[in-house]
Each structure stands twice: as C-alpha cells, then as structure tokens.
C-alpha cells in the first residue's frame, strides 16, 4: 500500500509537471510536444486506475491524433507567416494567477468533498453491471456506449461529422496542404509502412472484435486506423484529393447512419427506440463507427475532402 | 492519504493551469492547449471521484469520458481549422480585441532575443 | 531466483532509459542526442520487456512483449534516421558543440 501511494504521487507530479510545461512554456511547438507527453502520462494514469478502455483511447486519440492535428495546424501557420505563427503574445497578469489559484482551490475542495461524501448504495454503474448479461456483452463500457446510453453515442458521431463538415467549410477555398515529411521517399520509410500498416489493421480489427468483452472497441480501433492513415499521409502513400467522392462520404456518415438504424429499427417493430437487437447489430454498428472515426480523423489531418493513392 | 486524494489534487492543479493558460495566452493554439488540459482534469475527476465497483472504475463515467475524448478531438480539429482561416485573414493568431498587430511585432521582437528561440525558429525565418 | 533475475534486469533497464533521457536533455547537439536516445533507450526497453516476460512466464505474453520491442525498435530506427537526415540538410555537423 505504501509503495502504491508513492507511485501515485510520482504519477500525479509527472502529470502536473507536464501540464505546467504545456500551459506556461514559452515556445508553442514545445508546448505541443509536451501536450503529447501529457496525453501519454494520462494514459498511464488510466491504466493505473484500471480504466483500460480510456488508456487505449487517450494514448491513441488524446496524445497521438490531437498532437498530430496540432502539429499539422502549426505547420500550416508557419507556412503562412513563420514570424507571427510563433509570436509569444502571452500576457502575464496577477489577476489571472489569482483566478487560476482560486479555481484550482475550488476544484480541489469540491473533489475532496465528493470523495468523503457517503456514497449512494445503488449507483448507475451497478445497475449497468446487474443488467449487462441481458446484452450478451462482457465489457460494461461497451454496454453503456451502445445499449444503455446509445443516444449519447449517436450524438457523439453526429458531433464528429459536424466538426468535419465545419472544418471543410473553413478550409474549402484554401489549396491542399502538403502533409508529407521530408525523406518520405527513402526505402527505409517504405519498409516502415510495409511493416506497420498490416499490423495496425490487424490490431484495429482485434480491438474491434474483443471490444464486446474486453477493453477495446470502435473508438480505439478507429483511432488506430486513423493513426495509420496519418502515417500513410506523412509518407506520401496517400495524398489529399481536391474533390470528395462517394466512398469518402459514405465512410463519413457510416457511424451516424448505423446508430440511427439501431434507433429506428426497433421503432418500426413497435418497440421502444434503441431496444436491444442482438449482439450482431452491435458489432455492425461498431464497425461502421470505426470506419467513420478513422476516416473523419484522417481527413481532418489531411485538411482535404477525400484521399487518393500516392506513389506505390 | 489515498491514491484518489492525490489524483483529485493533481486534477485541481491541472485545471488551474488550464485556466491560467486560457486567460493569459494570446495565441489561439495556446488557448486550445489550455482548454484540452482543463478537459483532461475534468475527465480525471469524473473517473476518480465515483465509487469503484469491484476494484474497477464505474463503467458509466468511463463511457462518458470515452465519449468526451472523441468530442474533444473533434472540436479541437474544428477550432484549429477556424484558427488557420483566421490567421490567413488577419495575419496573426490572436483573438484579443485589445491586441494591436503592431504591438505583436514588438512582443515578438522582444521574446525572439533568447538563444533558444533563435535555435528553434527553424528554416522558415532564415 | 527468477524473480531476482527479473528485478536486476528491470533495474538495469530503468538505468538505461534514465541514462538515455539524461543524454537527450544534456548532450549538446541533435546527433549526440539521437545517439543517446536510440541506443540507450532501446536496450533499456529490451531489458524491461525481458524482465516482464520472465515475471509473466507465459509464451503468449513473451511474444507480445517481443513484438512491442521490435515495433519500438523499428519506429526509433526510422525516426532517428529521418531526424538526422533532416538536421544534416539544414545544418551539417561541424564536430564542435554548438
């Protein structure tokens, strides 16, 4: 128990230290790199807390993809005006320090008070666990996402689609950006792609398949695929395409469409919306969500409406 | 003192750092980083505070946080697209109404004097 | 006995990772830093993976850990090569600390 608390304190200090580097660092690019490290430390803390689903998601999405999106946006700014892109523009103010300290104190007070409060005997989580067997799923988080709070997940996919459409509207007129790294044509890099890509697809399918019973699922699998999409863009295997096509559009709306079906099909049978249709329907919805998450995030990174094959 | 207390305190500190960054940063990307820090602090609280069931975190907040992580990356990507557009239009990445672009040049000039700043600036400015 | 061996390897692995990190933070230029990072860290990771495999004592986990190490090795090889290449194109090595 004593060793455990030492590890916890060390993890907490690392996390706060990285957050301080992100928030107070003088260099924007440095802050972005520290943000990626912060995401990875967060993933370690999720693992320590026993939230393996979140560890997978935060390592892939929170650290990997958010960091990649920030870096590519930063590179776009530097491409337009390197001087202004890195302008410091931070103003030191005592009021801000005081407000931040007060907020932190408030959050700590509320959090600690909530920790010491008497717990309700019957929490939502216990009800989920009690009724999980009806769904045939072994992973309660997947159960909550797809069965008990399926509407939330539908709206979530809609938010992802809306964010993509909004980004397209914003960048519609600008020309396509180069996303390839220097040296992408080297044989070494080709070998990397040839090894990583099949493995990443395998890992994504594995995560999707075991998501029903173990940590994993559509978001984690989609994030792994989006990560390989970013790799393919960086190495020029895939290139941004100027015009959208039917495949890209279908992939973008697949998640929303599949979840809408989960809502509508029971209604047509005279049952309440989102009534449980069986495990197969959940796997179908998860596969569609995986495709949507992967394609949306890859296209957001590319800043393009579709992708085309690059060099072989 | 238990692990939960440590993580609640860490979340509070990260939230405070995020608030400070959000208030003082002029660069939109810094504001976004600060917002993402605040989000992570909220996620941490959501997982740590509820009672654990059989030694594992409550599945309902876990699902909420998983949803939150995906929403956070979507909104961040949208905000970044907005920022690039704004940067193209106005030539700098600040949204303070009281920040004068001429003054930004002054601030840049002052901060770029440091040796590390020179080192990291990259090929663009040379 | 196996536990003791695993412990020694774990500590040695931690030492190499720590040395690699110190090297990255303290060494003067990009090439020296890459040198410290790739060599020390990969050895450290291998030692940590081996000690975990010994502790787990199952073939499946051992193979998975080996796969993790190989992937990390591949990624660090390619990224180190690209960083060094990019750095050389921008500012050729002088042999003197910068």
């Amino acid at each position: 128990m004593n060793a455990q608390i030492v590890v916890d304190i060390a993890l907490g200090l690392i996390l706060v230290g990285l957050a301080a580097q992100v928030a107070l660092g003088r260099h924007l690019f440095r802050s972005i790199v520290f943000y990626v490290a912060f995401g990875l430390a967060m993933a370690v803390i999720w693992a320590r807390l026993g939230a393996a689903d979140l560890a997978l998601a935060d390592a892939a999405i929170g650290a990997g993809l958010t960091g990649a999106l920030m870096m590519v946006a930063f590179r776009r700014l530097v491409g337009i005006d390197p001087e202004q892109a890195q302008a410091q523009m931070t103003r030191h103010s005592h009021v801000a320090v005081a407000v931040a300290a007060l907020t932190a104190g408030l959050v700590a007070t509320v959090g600690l008070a909530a920790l010491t409060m008497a717990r309700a005997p019957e929490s939502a989580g216990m009800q989920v666990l009690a009724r999980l067997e009806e769904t045939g799923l072994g992973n309660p988080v997947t159960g909550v996402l797809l069965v008990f709070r399926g509407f939330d997940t539908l709206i979530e996919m809609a938010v992802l689609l809306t964010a993509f459409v909004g980004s397209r509207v914003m960048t519609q007129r600008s020309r396509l950006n180069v996303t390839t790294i220097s040296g992408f044509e080297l044989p070494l890099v080709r070998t990397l792609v040839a090894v990583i890509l099949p493995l990443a697809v395998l890992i994504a399918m594995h995560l999707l398949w075991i998501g029903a019973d173990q940590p994993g699922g559509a978001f984690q699998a989609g994030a792994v695929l989006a990560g390989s999409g970013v790799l393919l863009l960086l190495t020029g295997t895939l290139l941004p395409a100027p015009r959208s096509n039917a495949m890209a559009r279908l992939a973008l709306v697949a998640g929303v469409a599949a979840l809408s079906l989960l809502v509508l099909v029971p209604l047509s049978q005279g049952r309440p919306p989102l009534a449980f249709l069986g495990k197969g329907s959940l796997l179908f919805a998860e596969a569609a969500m995986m495709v949507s998450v992967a394609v949306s995030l890859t296209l957001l990174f590319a800043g393009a409406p579709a992708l085309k094959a690059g060099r072989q | 003192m238990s692990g939960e207390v440590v993580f609640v305190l860490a979340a509070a500190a990260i939230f405070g750092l995020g608030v400070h960054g959000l208030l003082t940063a002029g660069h939109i990307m810094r504001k976004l980083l600060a917002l993402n820090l605040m989000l992570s602090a909220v996620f941490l609280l959501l997982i740590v505070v509820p009672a654990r069931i059989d030694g594992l975190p409550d599945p309902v907040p876990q699902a909420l946080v998983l949803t939150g992580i995906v929403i956070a990356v979507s909104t961040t990507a949208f905000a970044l697209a907005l920022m690039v557009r704004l940067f193209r239009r106005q030539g700098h990445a600040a949204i303070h109404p009281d920040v004068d672009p001429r003054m930004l040049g002054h601030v840049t000039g002052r901060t770029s004097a440091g040796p590390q700043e020179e080192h990291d600036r990259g090929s663009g400015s040379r | 006995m196996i536990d003791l061996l695993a412990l020694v390897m774990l500590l040695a692995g931690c030492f190499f990772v720590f040395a690699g990190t110190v090297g990255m933070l303290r060494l003067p230029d990009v090439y020296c830093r890459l040198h410290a990072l790739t060599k020390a860290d990969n050895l450290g990771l291998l030692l940590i993976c081996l000690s975990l495999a010994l502790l787990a004592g199952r073939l499946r986990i051992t193979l998975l850990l080996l796969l993790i190490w190989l992937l990390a090795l591949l990624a660090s090889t390619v990224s180190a090569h690209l960083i060094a290449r990019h750095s050389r194109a921008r500012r050729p090595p002088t042999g003197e600390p910068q």
Side-chain angles (χ1 to χ4, degrees):
Chain A
M1 193 59 215
N2 261 339
Q4 184 73 68
I5 192 82
V6 172
V7 171
D8 284 350
I9 291 175
L11 282 175
L13 285 179
I14 289 172
L15 196 68
V16 174
L18 289 171
Q21 289 289 335
V22 175
L24 309 174
R26 279 160 48 87
H27 256 288
L28 183 53
F29 186 74
R30 215 176 116 99
S31 287
I32 297 173
V33 173
F34 270 107
Y35 182 75
V36 175
F38 174 83
L40 290 174
M42 201 72 202
V44 174
I45 287 183
W46 293 138
R48 145 72 185 96
L49 288 168
D53 283 288
L54 297 182
L56 285 168
D58 225 342
I61 302 179
L65 285 166
T66 310
L69 285 168
M70 294 250 180
M71 280 183 194
V72 82
F74 180 70
R75 194 160 119 172
R76 275 168 203 161
L77 294 195
V78 171
I80 301 168
D81 182 350
E83 191 76 15
Q84 281 298 338
Q86 302 171 71
Q88 179 77 10
M89 294 191 289
T90 301
R91 295 200 162 166
H92 297 285
S93 120
H94 296 296
V95 182
V97 174
V99 170
L102 270 177
T103 327
L106 192 67
V107 172
T109 316
V110 171
L112 292 178
L115 266 185
T116 48
M117 259 184 339
R119 305 298 166 83
E122 184 78 345
S123 70
M126 288 177 189
Q127 291 183 23
V128 166
L129 289 175
R131 294 191 51 197
L132 191 63
E133 270 192 24
E134 295 169 30
T135 64
L137 296 170
N139 181 358
V141 179
T142 309
V144 175
L145 280 175
L146 286 176
V147 183
F148 301 110
R149 307 230 21 118
F151 274 120
D152 286 0
T153 312
L154 171 60
I155 308 283
E156 172 188 357
M157 294 312 293
V159 168
L160 183 61
L161 182 63
T162 314
F164 175 77
V165 173
S167 306
R168 280 311 307 150
V169 172
M170 283 304 126
T171 49
Q172 206 175 17
R173 298 242 197 90
S174 53
R175 62 193 168 76
L176 291 179
N177 291 283
V178 183
T179 42
T180 45
I181 49 168
S182 76
F184 68 89
E185 71 287 344
L186 296 174
L188 189 64
V189 177
R190 285 193 199 187
T191 316
L192 177 79
V193 173
V195 174
I196 298 268
L197 189 64
L199 258 176
V201 173
L202 187 69
I203 290 170
M205 294 306 143
H206 178 69
L207 281 173
L208 181 71
W209 184 252
I210 64 162
D213 294 317
Q214 287 171 40
F219 297 125
Q220 292 88 344
V224 169
L225 284 184
S228 18
V230 169
L231 179 73
L232 292 180
L233 278 164
L234 286 175
T235 54
T237 318
L238 284 177
L239 292 173
R243 269 182 224 300
S244 187
N245 54 43
M247 280 294 282
R249 287 181 180 153
L250 189 66
L252 286 168
V253 300
V256 176
L259 282 164
S260 304
L261 275 181
L262 281 196
V263 174
L264 292 177
V265 169
L267 274 182
S268 69
Q269 296 171 347
R271 292 195 291 164
L274 269 172
F276 184 57
L277 290 170
K279 221 171 148 183
S281 71
L282 296 187
L283 193 65
F284 165 70
E286 286 222 90
M289 278 158 60
M290 175 188 76
V291 171
S292 280
V293 169
V295 173
S296 310
L297 292 176
T298 310
L299 289 179
L300 280 170
F301 179 83
L307 300 173
K308 63 181 185 206
R311 74 182 170 82
Q312 288 306 310
Chain B
M1 192 153 98
S2 67
E4 277 83 13
V5 176
V6 175
F7 290 129
V8 166
L9 291 178
I14 293 165
F15 197 86
L17 283 167
V19 169
H20 181 265
L22 192 63
L23 289 178
T24 56
H27 203 296
I28 299 176
M29 206 184 269
R30 283 195 169 278
K31 283 190 191 288
L32 284 175
L33 283 168
L35 266 177
N36 273 303
L37 286 183
M38 287 164 70
L39 272 169
S40 292
V42 172
F43 294 159
L44 193 55
L45 276 182
L46 270 175
I47 297 299
V48 171
V49 167
R52 295 167 81 82
I53 303 169
D54 301 332
L56 288 176
D58 195 319
V60 176
Q62 271 199 71
L64 290 180
V65 170
L66 198 52
T67 307
I69 290 174
V70 178
I71 302 259
V73 72
S74 322
T75 47
T76 304
F78 178 51
L80 287 171
L82 277 174
M83 178 195 69
V84 174
R85 179 73 181 267
L86 185 76
F87 192 86
R88 229 175 233 132
R89 274 187 83 113
Q90 70 175 19
H92 61 88
I95 43 171
H96 278 313
D98 56 336
V99 169
D100 183 348
R102 278 166 297 171
M103 207 206 78
L104 290 179
H106 168 68
V107 176
T108 320
R110 197 187 57 197
T111 52
S112 65
Q116 200 185 11
E117 204 90 15
E118 257 328 292
H119 175 76
D120 280 8
R121 173 133 298 160
S123 52
S125 62
R126 255 172 274 208
Chain C
M1 188 59 211
I2 284 187
D3 280 2
L4 192 68
L5 188 63
L7 184 68
V8 170
M9 282 164 91
L10 194 63
L11 287 177
C14 289
F15 169 76
F16 278 111
V17 173
F18 183 73
T21 311
V22 170
M24 194 193 71
L25 293 175
R26 302 298 306 170
L27 286 176
D29 68 3
V30 174
Y31 309 102
C32 299
R33 288 178 182 181
L34 280 178
H35 181 76
L37 253 193
T38 47
K39 287 184 180 160
D41 269 15
N42 284 324
L43 184 58
L45 187 63
L46 175 67
L47 285 169
I48 290 173
C49 284
L50 280 178
S51 96
L52 290 181
L54 277 179
L55 285 177
R58 281 165 55 193
L59 185 65
R60 180 166 173 272
I61 295 188
T62 309
L63 289 177
L64 281 175
L65 284 165
L66 194 67
L67 182 67
I68 290 173
W69 181 68
L70 284 175
L71 279 177
L73 194 63
L74 184 69
S76 81
T77 311
V78 177
S79 54
H81 177 70
L82 287 178
I83 291 171
R85 194 172 171 277
H86 181 71
S87 181
R88 195 187 62 167
R90 248 175 62 188
R91 199 178 332 170
T94 55
E96 297 160 14
Q98 290 168 9

